[in-house]
Amino acid sequence: MGVLLALASAVCYGIVDFTGGLLSRRASFAVVAVAGQAGGLALTILLAPVIPASSVTFADLAWGAASGVGTAVGMLFLYRGLSRGAMSVVVPVSAVSGVALPVVIGVAVLHDRLSAASWLGVAVAVPALWLVSRTADDDPSGTAAASDGLIAGTGVALQYVALAQAGSDAGIWPVLAGRVAATLVLLPLLVRAEKPSLVATLQAAAIGATAALALTFYLAATRQQLMVVAVVLSSFYPAIPILLGVTALRERLTRWQTLGLTGAAAAVVLLTTG
């Protein structure tokens, strides 16, 4: 069940990436980001009281808030890198660092012990994520873009690692705390943002609610699976926009993306059987 929950998280995050990318072409990123976090906050406010939580401590909420700060940092630097026209650099760097850092922390600090098959799955997953995230953009890879990608990936890593430290009896209150923290961090972006339309705001809120659902699935997965495995499986979300682009937008896969998708499928099998 932990594997399925982690994959459900990846699917939700993939849908968020796909729909959020389309919406960002028509609305300000600041609006999409803040309204999205507000939508996620609204959903978790509705769900948290009805999901069993026998013991919610200050530490659980603090870890959730730290996760939300990671979410905000990841979004800020990812989109700053994209605004520089460096998609071919910032996206794969953020995707790989976002999964590699939690793996290192999980093994070295949290002492997660992986089977041989799981180790092989991780080894296949990292280059597969890089290949899937690569685009046909041939812009030169500047140091600034790589730095943006690395910081974004570090934010994503903080999001995953911190949330996994919340107690298993805390329900989804840590996710709620994270949405509060992320909203507060991103709120200043609205100062210079253009006034959004109501439709765009509601769409962004729905996207953010889906992102909160993704984190809820991930949190549930960490309670049934090693954090390292849950992080790697949840991090396959870049494959979803690629597949949706092929089926819905008639986009064509590059040979590298095809190889990456094949590697991702192999990694899922290895991590599932391991």
Side-chain angles (χ1 to χ4, degrees):
M1 181 59 73
V3 169
L4 293 178
L5 288 168
L7 290 175
S9 175
V11 170
C12 287
Y13 260 133
I15 293 172
V16 166
D17 271 12
F18 183 75
T19 54
L22 293 177
L23 182 58
S24 294
R25 299 175 185 176
R26 299 183 285 106
S28 165
F29 158 65
V31 172
V32 175
V34 177
Q37 293 306 316
L41 176 58
L43 178 67
T44 50
I45 286 175
L46 292 174
L47 293 180
V50 300
I51 293 179
S54 57
S55 175
V56 183
T57 66
F58 174 79
D60 295 327
L61 299 179
W63 281 119
S67 175
V69 172
T71 300
V73 170
M75 291 180 64
L76 282 173
F77 283 90
L78 175 64
Y79 279 89
R80 190 174 83 164
L82 293 176
S83 70
R84 293 173 171 174
M87 182 179 292
S88 63
V89 178
V90 70
V91 173
V93 169
S94 63
V96 170
S97 57
V99 68
L101 290 175
V103 168
V104 172
I105 293 171
V107 173
V109 179
L110 303 179
H111 307 295
D112 283 353
R113 293 292 176 260
L114 302 179
S115 66
S118 294
W119 269 119
L120 184 57
V122 171
V124 173
V126 172
L129 275 173
W130 177 276
L131 293 172
V132 167
S133 303
R134 292 285 292 180
T135 69
D137 183 1
D138 293 326
D139 287 346
S141 57
T143 302
S147 297
D148 284 339
L150 183 59
I151 296 173
T154 302
V156 172
L158 174 60
Q159 169 188 265
Y160 281 138
V161 173
L163 190 59
Q165 307 316 303
S168 58
D169 296 327
I172 66 166
W173 289 98
V175 179
L176 174 58
R179 296 319 91 209
V180 172
T183 301
L184 292 176
V185 171
L186 294 172
L187 201 57
L189 292 176
L190 289 181
V191 174
R192 297 182 179 180
E194 297 178 1
K195 186 177 179 180
S197 68
L198 177 60
V199 172
T201 301
L202 292 176
Q203 288 174 336
I207 291 170
T210 306
L213 189 60
L215 278 177
T216 300
F217 282 134
Y218 165 75
L219 178 60
T222 63
R223 293 169 178 172
Q224 301 185 37
Q225 185 66 263
L226 290 176
M227 184 199 74
V228 169
V229 175
V231 166
V232 174
L233 291 174
S234 298
S235 296
F236 281 126
Y237 62 86
I240 305 301
I242 299 298
L243 294 174
L244 289 174
V246 171
T247 57
L249 301 180
R250 305 292 183 180
E251 295 177 349
R252 298 184 63 181
L253 290 175
T254 67
R255 66 178 182 275
W256 299 117
Q257 288 174 326
T258 302
L259 182 60
L261 289 172
T262 303
V268 169
V269 173
L270 289 166
L271 290 165
T272 301
T273 58

